[in-house]
Amino acid sequence: MPKATFYTHVAQPAIFICRLAARAIRDDGRVLVWSDSADTIARLDRDLWQQDAESFIAHEIWQTGEIMPSETPVLLASGNTLPALPADITVLNLSPDFWWDAAHPPERVLEIVGNSLEDLAEARERFRAYRQSGFDIEHHKMEGKA
């Protein structure tokens, strides 16, 4: 059964994204960080390059019209159309896209939700959509955590 994990009340999303991507590659293997904004992906690329040398995460920006790199643990991509993905990749979703609706939904989706009422309302919609589509749902409230 596919699984969607929500991390809500994240105070510093940029820092949390880097930490979660590192943990996801340790636990799950490969990760696609998906956004609907190329600017968000460029900013995340810069953030990942600014990590301490011992915390560096190998990554690259993937243009979804190109062949997906198979050796890079973290791929960063954006667009308006959800790409078909191999079964072994975890999606860290930074967009309002509903991955349950993808041509081939991933087995694991990670959703990061900030503190704003708008972020929380959008997350509730995605939560319901994933549940109705048969995803197993997991939730971690990150309020007060680093």
Side-chain angles (χ1 to χ4, degrees):
M1 172 183 291
K3 183 179 195 176
T5 303
F6 285 78
Y7 298 88
T8 61
H9 301 281
V10 175
Q12 297 178 320
I15 294 169
F16 189 77
I17 291 165
C18 294
R19 289 182 185 162
L20 186 57
R23 193 172 94 209
I25 58 176
R26 280 193 309 271
D27 295 347
D28 301 326
R30 298 181 60 218
V31 176
L32 170 66
V33 180
W34 178 259
S35 176
D36 58 338
S37 163
D39 290 340
T40 298
I41 292 301
R43 199 169 33 255
L44 181 57
D45 180 43
R46 282 191 306 273
D47 290 345
L48 287 168
W49 278 107
Q50 293 175 0
Q51 297 293 309
D52 295 331
E54 63 274 356
S55 301
F56 178 74
I57 300 168
H59 67 281
E60 69 180 279
I61 296 176
W62 171 48
Q63 302 300 323
T64 58
E66 304 293 324
I67 294 173
M68 179 182 273
S70 61
E71 300 298 319
T72 308
V74 175
L75 299 174
L76 311 175
S78 64
N80 297 321
T81 304
L82 301 176
L85 300 174
D88 68 337
I89 198 159
T90 295
V91 174
L92 197 163
N93 189 29
L94 305 179
S95 77
D97 293 326
F98 294 95
W99 276 90
W100 60 265
D101 199 23
H104 301 285
E107 284 299 309
R108 184 141 164 78
V109 178
L110 308 173
E111 295 275 350
I112 298 175
V113 183
N115 286 320
S116 77
L117 294 177
E118 182 179 313
D119 288 346
L120 293 167
E122 289 173 359
R124 279 189 211 83
E125 284 183 46
R126 290 194 308 275
F127 187 97
R128 279 191 293 275
Y130 283 117
R131 178 167 279 151
Q132 289 172 354
S133 297
F135 275 67
D136 185 26
I137 305 292
E138 187 176 56
H139 175 240
H140 301 285
K141 192 171 181 181
M142 304 309 292
E143 195 168 41
K145 298 179 183 176

